[in-house]
Coordinates of all heavy atoms in Angstrom, one line a residue:
M1 N 98.1 132.7 138.9 CA 97.9 131.7 137.9 C 98.9 130.6 138.0 O 100.0 130.8 138.4 CB 97.9 132.3 136.5 CG 96.7 132.9 136.0 SD 96.7 133.2 134.2 CE 96.8 135.0 134.2
G2 N 98.5 129.4 137.6 CA 99.5 128.3 137.6 C 99.1 127.3 136.5 O 97.9 127.1 136.2
L3 N 100.1 126.8 135.8 CA 99.8 125.8 134.8 C 99.3 124.5 135.4 O 99.8 124.0 136.4 CB 101.1 125.5 134.0 CG 101.7 126.7 133.2 CD1 103.1 126.3 132.6 CD2 100.8 127.1 132.1
K4 N 98.3 123.9 134.7 CA 97.7 122.7 135.2 C 96.9 122.0 134.2 O 96.6 122.5 133.1 CB 96.9 123.0 136.5 CG 95.7 123.8 136.2 CD 94.9 124.1 137.5 CE 93.7 125.0 137.2 NZ 92.9 125.2 138.5
V5 N 96.5 120.8 134.5 CA 95.5 120.0 133.7 C 94.1 120.7 134.0 O 93.7 120.7 135.1 CB 95.5 118.5 134.0 CG1 94.4 117.8 133.2 CG2 96.8 117.9 133.8
L6 N 93.5 121.2 132.9 CA 92.2 121.8 133.1 C 91.0 120.8 132.9 O 90.0 121.0 133.5 CB 92.0 123.0 132.1 CG 93.0 124.1 132.3 CD1 92.9 125.1 131.2 CD2 92.8 124.8 133.7
G7 N 91.2 119.8 132.1 CA 90.2 118.8 131.9 C 90.7 117.6 131.1 O 91.6 117.8 130.2
Q8 N 90.1 116.5 131.3 CA 90.5 115.2 130.6 C 89.2 114.4 130.5 O 88.5 114.2 131.5 CB 91.6 114.4 131.3 CG 92.9 115.1 131.3 CD 94.0 114.3 131.9 OE1 93.9 113.8 133.0 NE2 95.1 114.2 131.1
E9 N 88.9 114.0 129.3 CA 87.7 113.2 129.0 C 87.9 112.2 127.9 O 88.8 112.4 127.0 CB 86.5 114.1 128.6 CG 86.0 115.0 129.6 CD 85.2 114.3 130.8 OE1 84.8 113.1 130.6 OE2 85.1 114.9 131.9
A10 N 87.2 111.0 128.0 CA 87.2 110.0 127.0 C 85.7 109.8 126.7 O 85.1 108.9 127.3 CB 87.9 108.7 127.5
P11 N 85.1 110.6 125.8 CA 83.7 110.5 125.7 C 83.2 109.3 124.9 O 83.9 108.7 124.2 CB 83.4 111.8 124.8 CG 84.6 112.1 124.2 CD 85.7 111.6 125.0
A12 N 81.9 109.0 125.1 CA 81.3 107.9 124.3 C 81.2 108.4 122.9 O 81.2 109.6 122.6 CB 79.9 107.6 124.9
A13 N 81.1 107.5 122.0 CA 81.0 107.8 120.5 C 79.8 108.7 120.3 O 78.7 108.5 120.8 CB 80.9 106.6 119.7
D14 N 80.0 109.8 119.4 CA 79.0 110.6 118.9 C 78.2 111.3 120.1 O 77.0 111.4 120.0 CB 78.0 109.9 118.0 CG 78.8 109.4 116.7 OD1 79.6 110.2 116.2 OD2 78.5 108.3 116.3
T15 N 78.9 111.7 121.1 CA 78.2 112.3 122.3 C 79.0 113.6 122.6 O 80.2 113.6 122.9 CB 78.3 111.4 123.5 OG1 77.6 110.1 123.1 CG2 77.6 111.9 124.7
D16 N 78.3 114.7 122.6 CA 78.9 116.0 123.1 C 79.2 115.8 124.6 O 78.3 115.4 125.4 CB 77.9 117.2 122.9 CG 77.8 117.6 121.5 OD1 78.7 117.3 120.7 OD2 76.8 118.3 121.2
T17 N 80.4 116.1 125.0 CA 80.9 116.0 126.3 C 81.7 117.2 126.7 O 82.6 117.7 126.0 CB 81.8 114.7 126.4 OG1 81.1 113.6 126.0 CG2 82.3 114.5 127.8
D18 N 81.4 117.8 127.9 CA 82.1 118.9 128.4 C 83.5 118.5 128.9 O 83.6 117.7 129.8 CB 81.3 119.7 129.5 CG 80.0 120.3 128.9 OD1 79.9 120.4 127.7 OD2 79.2 120.7 129.8
L19 N 84.5 119.1 128.3 CA 85.9 118.8 128.7 C 86.3 119.7 129.8 O 87.0 119.3 130.7 CB 86.8 119.0 127.5 CG 88.3 118.9 127.7 CD1 88.7 117.5 128.1 CD2 89.1 119.3 126.4
F20 N 85.8 121.0 129.8 CA 86.3 122.0 130.8 C 85.2 123.0 130.9 O 84.7 123.5 129.9 CB 87.6 122.5 130.3 CG 88.0 123.7 131.1 CD1 88.5 123.6 132.4 CD2 88.1 125.0 130.5 CE1 88.9 124.7 133.1 CE2 88.5 126.1 131.2 CZ 88.9 126.0 132.5
T21 N 84.9 123.4 132.1 CA 84.0 124.6 132.4 C 84.9 125.5 133.3 O 85.3 125.1 134.4 CB 82.7 124.1 133.2 OG1 82.0 123.2 132.3 CG2 81.9 125.3 133.4
A22 N 85.0 126.7 132.9 CA 85.9 127.7 133.6 C 85.2 128.2 134.9 O 84.1 128.5 134.9 CB 86.2 128.9 132.7
T23 N 86.0 128.2 135.9 CA 85.6 128.7 137.2 C 86.3 130.1 137.5 O 86.0 130.7 138.4 CB 85.9 127.8 138.4 OG1 87.4 127.5 138.4 CG2 85.2 126.4 138.2
A24 N 87.2 130.5 136.6 CA 87.9 131.8 136.6 C 88.3 132.1 135.2 O 88.3 131.2 134.3 CB 89.0 131.7 137.6
A25 N 88.8 133.3 135.0 CA 89.3 133.6 133.7 C 90.7 132.9 133.5 O 91.3 132.6 134.5 CB 89.5 135.2 133.6
G26 N 91.1 132.7 132.3 CA 92.4 132.1 132.0 C 92.6 131.8 130.6 O 92.0 132.4 129.7
V27 N 93.4 130.8 130.3 CA 93.8 130.4 129.0 C 94.0 128.9 128.9 O 94.6 128.3 129.8 CB 95.0 131.2 128.4 CG1 96.2 130.9 129.2 CG2 95.2 130.9 126.9
V28 N 93.5 128.2 127.8 CA 93.9 126.9 127.5 C 95.0 127.0 126.5 O 94.8 127.5 125.4 CB 92.7 126.1 126.9 CG1 93.2 124.7 126.4 CG2 91.6 125.9 127.9
S29 N 96.2 126.6 126.9 CA 97.4 126.8 126.0 C 97.5 125.6 125.0 O 97.9 125.8 123.9 CB 98.6 126.9 126.8 OG 98.9 125.8 127.6
T30 N 97.1 124.4 125.5 CA 97.3 123.2 124.6 C 96.1 122.3 124.8 O 95.6 122.1 125.9 CB 98.6 122.5 125.0 OG1 99.7 123.3 124.9 CG2 98.8 121.3 124.1
L31 N 95.6 121.7 123.7 CA 94.6 120.7 123.7 C 95.1 119.6 122.9 O 95.6 119.7 121.8 CB 93.3 121.3 123.1 CG 92.1 120.4 123.0 CD1 91.5 120.2 124.3 CD2 91.1 121.0 122.0
I32 N 95.1 118.4 123.5 CA 95.6 117.2 122.8 C 94.5 116.2 122.7 O 93.8 115.9 123.6 CB 96.8 116.6 123.6 CG1 97.9 117.5 123.6 CG2 97.2 115.2 122.9 CD1 99.1 117.1 124.4
V33 N 94.3 115.7 121.4 CA 93.4 114.6 121.1 C 94.2 113.3 120.9 O 95.1 113.4 120.0 CB 92.5 114.9 119.9 CG1 91.5 113.8 119.7 CG2 91.8 116.3 120.1
C34 N 93.9 112.3 121.6 CA 94.7 111.0 121.5 C 93.7 109.9 121.0 O 92.7 109.7 121.6 CB 95.3 110.6 122.8 SG 96.1 109.0 122.8
N35 N 94.1 109.3 119.9 CA 93.3 108.1 119.4 C 94.0 106.9 119.9 O 95.0 106.5 119.5 CB 93.3 108.1 117.9 CG 92.4 107.1 117.3 OD1 92.0 106.2 118.0 ND2 92.2 107.1 116.0
R36 N 93.3 106.2 120.9 CA 93.8 105.0 121.5 C 93.4 103.8 120.6 O 93.9 102.7 120.9 CB 93.2 104.8 122.9 CG 93.4 106.0 123.8 CD 92.8 105.8 125.2 NE 91.5 105.2 125.2 CZ 90.3 105.8 125.0 NH1 90.3 107.1 124.7 NH2 89.2 105.1 125.0
G37 N 92.6 104.0 119.6 CA 92.1 102.8 118.8 C 93.0 102.5 117.6 O 94.0 103.1 117.3
S38 N 92.6 101.4 117.0 CA 93.3 100.8 115.8 C 92.8 101.3 114.5 O 93.2 100.8 113.4 CB 93.4 99.3 115.9 OG 92.1 98.8 115.9
V39 N 91.8 102.2 114.5 CA 91.3 102.8 113.3 C 91.2 104.3 113.4 O 91.1 104.8 114.5 CB 89.8 102.2 112.9 CG1 89.9 100.7 112.7 CG2 88.9 102.6 114.0
A40 N 91.2 105.0 112.3 CA 91.2 106.5 112.3 C 89.8 106.9 112.8 O 88.8 106.2 112.7 CB 91.4 107.0 110.9
A41 N 89.8 108.1 113.4 CA 88.5 108.6 113.9 C 88.5 110.1 113.6 O 89.5 110.7 113.2 CB 88.5 108.4 115.4
K42 N 87.3 110.8 113.9 CA 87.2 112.2 113.7 C 86.7 112.8 115.1 O 86.1 112.2 115.9 CB 86.1 112.5 112.7 CG 86.6 112.1 111.3 CD 85.5 112.4 110.2 CE 86.0 112.0 108.9 NZ 85.0 112.3 107.8
F43 N 87.0 114.1 115.2 CA 86.6 114.8 116.4 C 86.2 116.2 116.2 O 86.4 116.8 115.1 CB 87.8 114.8 117.5 CG 88.9 115.6 117.1 CD1 89.0 117.0 117.4 CD2 90.0 115.1 116.3 CE1 90.1 117.7 117.1 CE2 91.1 115.9 116.0 CZ 91.1 117.2 116.4
R44 N 85.4 116.8 117.1 CA 85.0 118.1 117.1 C 85.3 118.8 118.4 O 85.3 118.2 119.5 CB 83.5 118.2 116.9 CG 83.0 117.6 115.7 CD 81.5 117.6 115.6 NE 81.0 116.9 114.4 CZ 79.7 116.7 114.1 NH1 78.8 117.2 114.9 NH2 79.4 116.1 113.0
V45 N 85.6 120.1 118.4 CA 85.8 120.9 119.6 C 85.0 122.2 119.4 O 85.1 122.9 118.4 CB 87.3 121.3 119.8 CG1 87.5 122.2 121.0 CG2 88.1 120.0 119.9
A46 N 84.2 122.5 120.4 CA 83.4 123.8 120.5 C 83.8 124.6 121.7 O 83.9 124.0 122.8 CB 81.9 123.5 120.4
V47 N 83.9 125.9 121.6 CA 84.1 126.8 122.7 C 82.8 127.5 122.9 O 82.4 128.3 122.0 CB 85.2 127.7 122.5 CG1 85.4 128.7 123.7 CG2 86.5 126.9 122.3
R48 N 82.1 127.3 124.0 CA 80.8 127.9 124.3 C 80.8 129.0 125.3 O 81.0 128.7 126.5 CB 79.8 126.8 124.8 CG 79.7 125.6 123.8 CD 78.7 124.6 124.1 NE 79.0 123.9 125.4 CZ 78.2 123.8 126.4 NH1 77.0 124.4 126.4 NH2 78.6 123.2 127.5
P49 N 80.7 130.3 124.9 CA 80.7 131.4 125.8 C 79.6 131.3 126.8 O 78.4 131.0 126.5 CB 80.6 132.6 124.9 CG 81.0 132.2 123.6 CD 80.6 130.7 123.5
D50 N 80.0 131.4 128.1 CA 79.0 131.5 129.2 C 78.0 130.3 129.2 O 76.9 130.4 129.5 CB 78.2 132.8 129.1 CG 77.6 133.1 130.5 OD1 78.2 132.7 131.5 OD2 76.6 133.8 130.5
G51 N 78.5 129.1 128.7 CA 77.7 127.9 128.7 C 76.6 127.8 127.7 O 75.6 127.0 127.9
A52 N 76.6 128.7 126.7 CA 75.6 128.7 125.6 C 75.4 127.3 125.0 O 76.4 126.5 125.1 CB 75.9 129.7 124.5
A53 N 74.3 127.0 124.5 CA 74.1 125.7 123.8 C 75.0 125.6 122.6 O 75.3 126.7 121.9 CB 72.6 125.6 123.4
V54 N 75.5 124.4 122.3 CA 76.4 124.3 121.1 C 75.7 124.7 119.8 O 74.6 124.3 119.6 CB 76.8 122.8 121.0 CG1 77.6 122.6 119.7 CG2 77.7 122.3 122.2
A55 N 76.4 125.6 119.1 CA 75.9 126.1 117.8 C 77.0 126.2 116.8 O 78.2 126.1 117.2 CB 75.3 127.5 118.0
N56 N 76.7 126.3 115.6 CA 77.7 126.3 114.5 C 78.9 127.2 114.8 O 80.0 126.9 114.5 CB 77.1 126.6 113.2 CG 76.3 125.4 112.7 OD1 76.4 124.3 113.1 ND2 75.4 125.7 111.8
E57 N 78.6 128.4 115.3 CA 79.6 129.4 115.5 C 80.6 129.1 116.6 O 81.7 129.7 116.7 CB 79.0 130.8 115.7 CG 78.2 131.0 117.0 CD 76.7 130.7 116.8 OE1 76.3 130.0 115.8 OE2 76.0 131.1 117.7
H58 N 80.4 128.1 117.4 CA 81.2 127.7 118.5 C 82.3 126.8 118.1 O 83.3 126.6 118.9 CB 80.4 127.1 119.6 CG 79.4 128.1 120.2 ND1 78.1 127.7 120.6 CD2 79.5 129.4 120.4 CE1 77.5 128.7 121.0 NE2 78.2 129.8 120.9
Y59 N 82.3 126.2 117.0 CA 83.3 125.1 116.6 C 84.6 125.8 116.2 O 84.7 126.7 115.4 CB 82.8 124.2 115.5 CG 81.7 123.3 115.9 CD1 80.4 123.5 115.7 CD2 82.1 122.2 116.7 CE1 79.4 122.6 116.1 CE2 81.1 121.3 117.1 CZ 79.8 121.5 116.8 OH 78.8 120.7 117.3
I60 N 85.7 125.2 116.8 CA 87.0 125.6 116.4 C 87.7 124.4 115.7 O 88.7 124.6 115.0 CB 87.9 126.1 117.6 CG1 88.1 125.0 118.6 CG2 87.3 127.3 118.2 CD1 89.2 125.3 119.6
A61 N 87.1 123.2 115.7 CA 87.5 122.1 115.0 C 86.2 121.2 114.7 O 85.4 121.1 115.6 CB 88.5 121.2 115.8
Y62 N 86.1 120.8 113.5 CA 84.9 120.0 113.1 C 85.2 118.9 112.2 O 85.7 119.1 111.1 CB 83.9 121.0 112.4 CG 82.5 120.5 112.3 CD1 81.6 120.7 113.2 CD2 82.1 119.7 111.2 CE1 80.3 120.2 113.2 CE2 80.8 119.2 111.1 CZ 79.9 119.5 112.1 OH 78.6 119.0 112.0
D63 N 85.0 117.7 112.7 CA 85.2 116.4 112.0 C 86.7 116.3 111.5 O 86.9 115.9 110.3 CB 84.2 116.2 110.9 CG 82.8 115.8 111.4 OD1 82.7 115.5 112.6 OD2 81.9 115.8 110.6
I64 N 87.6 116.7 112.3 CA 89.0 116.6 112.0 C 89.5 115.2 112.2 O 89.2 114.5 113.2 CB 89.8 117.5 113.0 CG1 89.4 119.0 112.9 CG2 91.3 117.4 112.7 CD1 89.5 119.6 111.6
P65 N 90.2 114.6 111.2 CA 90.6 113.2 111.3 C 91.9 113.1 112.2 O 92.8 114.0 112.2 CB 91.0 112.8 109.9 CG 91.2 114.1 109.2 CD 90.4 115.2 109.9
V66 N 91.9 112.0 113.0 CA 93.1 111.7 113.7 C 93.4 110.2 113.5 O 92.5 109.4 113.6 CB 93.0 112.0 115.2 CG1 91.9 111.3 115.9 CG2 94.3 111.8 115.9
G67 N 94.6 109.9 113.0 CA 95.0 108.6 112.7 C 94.9 107.6 113.8 O 95.0 107.9 115.0
A68 N 94.9 106.3 113.5 CA 94.9 105.2 114.5 C 96.2 105.4 115.3 O 97.2 105.6 114.8 CB 94.9 103.9 113.8
E69 N 96.0 105.2 116.6 CA 97.1 105.2 117.6 C 98.0 106.4 117.3 O 99.2 106.3 117.3 CB 97.9 103.9 117.5 CG 97.0 102.7 117.8 CD 97.6 101.3 117.4 OE1 98.6 101.3 116.6 OE2 97.1 100.3 117.8
N70 N 97.4 107.6 117.3 CA 98.1 108.8 117.0 C 97.5 109.9 117.8 O 96.5 109.7 118.5 CB 98.0 109.1 115.5 CG 99.1 109.9 115.0 OD1 99.8 110.6 115.7 ND2 99.4 109.7 113.7
I71 N 98.2 111.1 117.8 CA 97.6 112.3 118.5 C 97.4 113.4 117.5 O 98.1 113.5 116.5 CB 98.5 112.7 119.7 CG1 99.9 113.2 119.2 CG2 98.7 111.6 120.7 CD1 100.7 114.0 120.2
Y72 N 96.6 114.4 118.0 CA 96.4 115.6 117.2 C 96.6 116.7 118.3 O 95.7 116.9 119.1 CB 95.0 115.7 116.6 CG 94.9 116.8 115.6 CD1 94.9 116.5 114.2 CD2 94.8 118.1 116.0 CE1 94.7 117.5 113.3 CE2 94.6 119.1 115.0 CZ 94.6 118.8 113.7 OH 94.5 119.8 112.8
P73 N 97.7 117.4 118.3 CA 97.9 118.5 119.3 C 97.6 119.8 118.8 O 97.8 120.1 117.6 CB 99.4 118.4 119.6 CG 100.0 117.9 118.3 CD 98.9 117.0 117.6
F74 N 96.9 120.6 119.6 CA 96.7 122.1 119.3 C 97.5 122.9 120.3 O 97.3 122.6 121.5 CB 95.2 122.4 119.6 CG 94.2 121.9 118.7 CD1 93.6 120.6 119.0 CD2 93.7 122.6 117.6 CE1 92.6 120.1 118.2 CE2 92.7 122.1 116.8 CZ 92.1 120.9 117.1
T75 N 98.3 123.8 119.9 CA 98.8 124.8 120.8 C 98.2 126.1 120.3 O 98.6 126.7 119.3 CB 100.4 124.8 120.7 OG1 100.9 123.5 121.0 CG2 100.9 125.8 121.6
I76 N 97.2 126.5 121.0 CA 96.3 127.5 120.4 C 96.0 128.7 121.3 O 95.8 129.8 120.7 CB 94.9 126.8 120.0 CG1 94.1 127.7 119.1 CG2 94.2 126.4 121.3 CD1 92.9 127.0 118.5
G77 N 96.1 128.7 122.6 CA 95.8 129.8 123.4 C 94.4 130.3 123.4 O 94.1 131.4 123.1
I78 N 93.5 129.4 123.8 CA 92.0 129.8 123.9 C 91.8 130.5 125.2 O 92.0 130.0 126.3 CB 91.2 128.5 123.9 CG1 91.4 127.7 122.6 CG2 89.7 128.9 124.0 CD1 90.8 126.3 122.7
T79 N 91.4 131.8 125.1 CA 91.1 132.5 126.3 C 89.7 132.3 126.8 O 88.8 132.0 125.9 CB 91.3 134.0 126.1 OG1 90.5 134.5 125.0 CG2 92.8 134.4 125.8
F80 N 89.5 132.3 128.1 CA 88.1 132.0 128.6 C 87.8 132.9 129.8 O 88.7 133.4 130.4 CB 88.0 130.5 128.9 CG 89.0 130.0 129.8 CD1 88.8 130.1 131.2 CD2 90.1 129.3 129.4 CE1 89.7 129.6 132.1 CE2 91.0 128.8 130.3 CZ 90.8 129.0 131.6
D81 N 86.5 133.0 130.1 CA 86.0 133.7 131.2 C 85.2 132.7 132.0 O 84.9 131.6 131.6 CB 85.2 134.9 130.8 CG 85.0 135.9 131.8 OD1 85.6 135.8 133.0 OD2 84.3 137.0 131.6
V82 N 84.8 133.1 133.2 CA 84.0 132.3 134.1 C 82.8 131.8 133.3 O 82.1 132.5 132.6 CB 83.5 133.1 135.3 CG1 82.6 132.2 136.2 CG2 84.7 133.5 136.1
N83 N 82.5 130.5 133.5 CA 81.4 129.7 132.9 C 81.5 129.4 131.4 O 80.6 128.9 130.8 CB 80.0 130.5 133.1 CG 79.7 130.5 134.6 OD1 80.0 129.6 135.4 ND2 79.2 131.6 135.1
D84 N 82.6 129.8 130.8 CA 82.8 129.4 129.4 C 83.1 127.9 129.4 O 83.7 127.3 130.4 CB 84.0 130.1 128.7 CG 83.7 131.5 128.4 OD1 82.5 132.0 128.6 OD2 84.6 132.3 128.1
V85 N 82.7 127.1 128.4 CA 82.8 125.7 128.3 C 83.5 125.2 127.0 O 83.2 125.7 126.0 CB 81.4 125.1 128.4 CG1 81.5 123.5 128.4 CG2 80.7 125.5 129.7
I86 N 84.4 124.2 127.1 CA 84.9 123.6 126.0 C 84.2 122.2 125.9 O 84.2 121.4 126.9 CB 86.4 123.4 126.1 CG1 87.1 124.7 126.1 CG2 86.9 122.5 124.9 CD1 88.6 124.7 126.2
T87 N 83.5 122.0 124.8 CA 82.8 120.7 124.6 C 83.5 120.0 123.4 O 83.9 120.5 122.4 CB 81.3 121.0 124.2 OG1 80.7 121.7 125.3 CG2 80.6 119.8 123.9
V88 N 83.6 118.7 123.6 CA 84.3 117.8 122.6 C 83.3 116.7 122.2 O 82.4 116.4 122.9 CB 85.6 117.2 123.2 CG1 86.6 118.3 123.5 CG2 85.4 116.4 124.4
R89 N 83.6 116.1 121.0 CA 82.8 115.0 120.5 C 83.7 114.2 119.6 O 84.6 114.7 118.9 CB 81.7 115.6 119.6 CG 80.7 114.5 119.1 CD 79.7 115.2 118.2 NE 78.7 114.3 117.7 CZ 77.5 114.2 118.2 NH1 77.1 114.9 119.3 NH2 76.6 113.3 117.7
A90 N 83.6 112.8 119.7 CA 84.4 111.9 118.9 C 83.5 110.9 118.1 O 82.4 110.6 118.6 CB 85.3 111.1 119.9
S91 N 84.0 110.5 117.0 CA 83.3 109.5 116.2 C 83.3 108.1 116.7 O 82.5 107.3 116.4 CB 83.8 109.6 114.7 OG 85.1 109.1 114.7
T92 N 84.3 107.9 117.6 CA 84.4 106.6 118.3 C 84.7 106.8 119.8 O 85.0 107.9 120.2 CB 85.6 105.7 117.7 OG1 86.8 106.3 118.2 CG2 85.6 105.6 116.2
A93 N 84.6 105.7 120.5 CA 84.8 105.8 122.0 C 86.3 105.7 122.3 O 86.7 105.6 123.4 CB 84.0 104.8 122.7
D94 N 87.2 105.7 121.3 CA 88.6 105.5 121.4 C 89.4 106.8 121.5 O 90.6 106.7 121.5 CB 89.2 104.6 120.3 CG 88.6 103.2 120.3 OD1 88.4 102.7 121.4 OD2 88.4 102.7 119.2
L95 N 88.8 107.9 121.6 CA 89.5 109.2 121.7 C 89.5 109.7 123.1 O 88.5 109.7 123.8 CB 88.9 110.3 120.7 CG 88.9 110.0 119.3 CD1 88.5 111.2 118.5 CD2 90.3 109.5 118.8
S96 N 90.7 110.3 123.5 CA 90.8 111.0 124.8 C 91.2 112.4 124.5 O 92.0 112.7 123.5 CB 92.0 110.3 125.6 OG 91.7 109.0 125.9
F97 N 90.7 113.3 125.3 CA 90.9 114.7 125.1 C 91.5 115.3 126.4 O 91.1 115.0 127.5 CB 89.6 115.5 124.9 CG 88.9 115.1 123.6 CD1 88.1 114.0 123.5 CD2 89.1 116.0 122.5 CE1 87.5 113.7 122.3 CE2 88.4 115.6 121.3 CZ 87.6 114.5 121.2
S98 N 92.6 116.1 126.3 CA 93.2 116.7 127.5 C 93.4 118.2 127.2 O 93.9 118.5 126.1 CB 94.6 116.1 127.8 OG 94.4 114.7 128.1
A99 N 93.0 119.0 128.1 CA 93.2 120.5 128.0 C 94.2 120.9 129.1 O 94.0 120.5 130.3 CB 91.9 121.2 128.2
F100 N 95.2 121.7 128.7 CA 96.2 122.2 129.7 C 96.3 123.7 129.6 O 96.2 124.3 128.5 CB 97.6 121.6 129.3 CG 97.6 120.1 129.3 CD1 97.4 119.5 128.1 CD2 97.8 119.4 130.4 CE1 97.4 118.1 128.0 CE2 97.9 118.0 130.4 CZ 97.7 117.3 129.1
G101 N 96.5 124.4 130.7 CA 96.5 125.8 130.7 C 96.6 126.4 132.1 O 97.1 125.7 133.0
E102 N 96.0 127.6 132.3 CA 96.0 128.2 133.6 C 94.8 129.1 133.8 O 94.1 129.5 132.8 CB 97.3 129.1 133.7 CG 97.5 130.1 132.6 CD 98.9 130.7 132.7 OE1 99.2 131.2 133.8 OE2 99.6 130.7 131.7
E103 N 94.4 129.2 135.0 CA 93.3 130.0 135.5 C 93.8 131.0 136.5 O 94.7 130.8 137.2 CB 92.2 129.1 136.2 CG 91.4 128.2 135.3 CD 90.3 127.5 136.1 OE1 90.7 126.6 136.9 OE2 89.2 127.8 135.9
D104 N 93.1 132.2 136.5 CA 93.4 133.2 137.5 C 93.1 132.7 138.9 O 92.3 131.9 139.1 CB 92.6 134.5 137.3 CG 93.1 135.2 136.0 OD1 94.2 135.0 135.6 OD2 92.3 136.0 135.5

């Protein structure tokens, strides 16, 4: 295993976007949401086992506010297996998502 950037995305507004799809087992140690814009925004994060369609039970964050020109860091330790997917969504196109961790 080695620490690395697992995924980075800047999704279009109100669009579910896959941030990371696992190719091996591992852990996402940190997830950072960065608001590049001049107004507050909201975001969602879902963890989808084996690539399942997004459903209510997959959300670990739902419409969480992040201030203008600010970040929202998670140090959470999300474990994953092959084909698990982290999907993100933002209320504006001004949010960037970065996942850091390790894979086997």
Side-chain angles (χ1 to χ4, degrees):
M1 276 196 247
L3 297 173
K4 63 182 181 177
V5 175
L6 297 174
Q8 294 183 307
E9 292 291 337
D14 297 320
T15 304
D16 286 340
T17 302
D18 292 346
L19 174 64
F20 170 69
T21 301
T23 58
V27 64
V28 174
S29 61
T30 305
L31 179 72
I32 296 176
V33 182
C34 173
N35 185 348
R36 305 178 322 275
S38 59
V39 298
K42 294 181 180 180
F43 67 91
R44 299 176 185 179
V45 178
V47 178
R48 304 185 296 123
D50 204 27
V54 174
N56 288 338
E57 64 268 22
H58 298 141
Y59 286 103
I60 62 168
Y62 195 91
D63 287 349
I64 303 297
V66 59
E69 300 166 346
N70 210 333
I71 66 167
Y72 194 106
F74 291 88
T75 302
I76 193 167
I78 301 168
T79 57
F80 56 83
D81 200 0
V82 176
N83 297 323
D84 289 351
V85 179
I86 295 176
T87 299
V88 296
R89 184 181 184 102
S91 63
T92 72
D94 293 325
L95 298 188
S96 298
F97 296 82
S98 296
F100 305 92
E102 49 191 310
E103 288 184 288
D104 288 337

